[in-house]
Amino acid sequence: MPLAQTRVVVLAGGVGGSKFTLGVRAALRKVGAPEATVVVNTGDDLWLAGVRLQPDVDSITYALAGVNDTVRGWGRAGDTERVNEELQAWGGGWPWFTLGDLDLGTHLARTGWLRDGATPTQVLARMAERWPLGARLLPMTDSEVDTHVLLEDGGRLHFQEWWTRHRAALVPRAFENPGIAEAVPAPGVVDAIAGADVVLVAPSNPVVSIGPILGVRGIREALQRTEATVVGVSPIIGGRVVRGMADVCLTAIGVETSAAAVARHYGARSDGGILDAWLLAEEDADAAPEVTAAGIRAVVAPLWMTDVDASAAIAAAALRA
Ligand code: GDP
Ligand code: CA
């Protein structure tokens, strides 16, 4: 299969997902291949102050549009917080969850269209018309799915409260996705996976970004059935998460924070899992035999997504795998 004709699907969460997607876009452009389809996690979407937030969808949209805040790592570049101050003065929203003014414009537009009857897939397609994104974005599902954190002390929090307010410092016992049992894949998701030559699992949080995508009935099955090669990229480098608190999530579900353990968690397609190949960081090269023993082809590569060129090199290595 010449690289120029490769049909690529990416499964992605927010920050790690958007850096990787930028790399995939650059790598595909370089060889003149068609735009990738990106299936985005919507498991941590929420209603706040009457508007619908889609953190991972927005991270990827803003990054592809080139309007994201690369310093903070989330939201719009050059955003202000005037509306947020007023919202807080009313006692609305969450005091520890900042909504930027430009960002609120996105949420208002989205909420208006949803209220008019558009599906999340249709809303995303409409939002993608504003900027040339160079990729087709699909939500994992049109259903509303939540992520709750069950705590050791018996409490239950919305994922965003646990993550943003408590910085994942309260010990989790488990994660639940209310609504996922009834969710079906968004239109186009299963067809894209079935028609792909390569499916790339971004180096996103395996528990709360990739986990919900795989939890939507039919997506895991589509990955197991497709003739595409399914290649994952490790979000763990040198036994640590690069950024964020994904290690706390992994520990809660009984998975060690190591590149090999995450590969085993996804599992080999030959063994009921989803992976044919796994990209490991050079720092984790000695874990390659463990990955191979699990029935997954191990490919060692530099995995730091320091800039678009570095991410594009990772994407190219994944495509070659
Ligand atoms: P979120 O939805 O915003 O939390 O973002 P994602 O789930 O898409 O990505 C979070 C994951 O990205 C974390 O677990 C990090 O370990 C991983 N990550 C961030 N930067 C890098 C990087 O440069 N290289 C690799 N391999 N992983 C990264
Ligand atoms: Ca997320």
Side-chain angles (χ1 to χ4, degrees), residues 12-19 41 44 55-56 59-60 73-74 159 163 202-206 208-210 233-237 240-247 250 279 281 302-306 311 314:
V15 173
S18 52
K19 282 197 217 161
N41 171 45
D44 51 15
D56 292 1
S59 290
I60 294 191
W74 53 272
F159 173 73
W163 186 261
S204 288
N205 187 317
V208 295
S209 291
I210 303 299
V233 180
S234 175
I236 309 296
I237 300 182
R240 311 167 71 108
V241 288
V242 177
R243 214 189 139 181
M245 295 79 77
D247 49 336
L250 286 167
L279 257 66
L303 291 190
W304 294 99
M305 299 190 287
T306 42
S311 300
I314 296 169

